[in-house]
Amino acid sequence: QVQLVESGGGLVQAGGSLRLSCAASELTFTNYGMGWFRQAPGKEREFVAAISWSGGNTYYAESVKGRFTISRDNAKNTVYLQMNSLKPEDTAVYYCAAGLVVVPVNREFEYDYWGQGTQVTVSS
């Protein structure tokens, strides 16, 4: 079993940066692929980024490619999402997720555990 807790959300101006963190409670954290998803008001949850067990493979949504970076520190049981050049369109609740996958995937059903979400608001 895995428990995930996101942090680092907040209010930032367009063009600014923010780093989200997701801390896991399980010692088996390293067996899981990790992903970030987001949900904007009135819209469905969408994929943002994913990273493999080892951290050697990453996958990004086209809308964030080149601006966001996903990484993980298995020694700290933590996954990060570094967000640069933020746009108002990035405003959403961001969720981290864990799944027993060996490659980064963008499919919600592949993920077994989800955090409670953290709000990111980008002002213009």
Side-chain angles (χ1 to χ4, degrees), residues 47-116:
F47 169 78
V48 177
I51 190 167
S52 63
W53 294 0
S54 67
N57 294 298
T58 58
Y59 179 34
Y60 298 93
E62 287 296 323
S63 60
V64 306
K65 191 175 297 183
R67 299 189 297 120
F68 291 10
T69 303
I70 187 171
S71 62
R72 65 190 296 165
D73 186 339
N74 291 342
K76 297 181 178 179
N77 281 6
T78 302
V79 63
Y80 304 96
L81 185 68
Q82 178 67 47
M83 304 184 293
N84 298 326
S85 301
L86 283 162
K87 305 174 181 179
E89 305 93 272
D90 296 317
T91 295
V93 176
Y94 283 71
Y95 301 88
C96 69
L100 289 173
V101 294
V102 297
V103 296
V105 296
N106 64 353
R107 302 180 292 272
E108 287 192 37
F109 71 84
E110 298 278 10
Y111 295 91
D112 303 303
Y113 302 97
W114 295 80
Q116 81 288 347

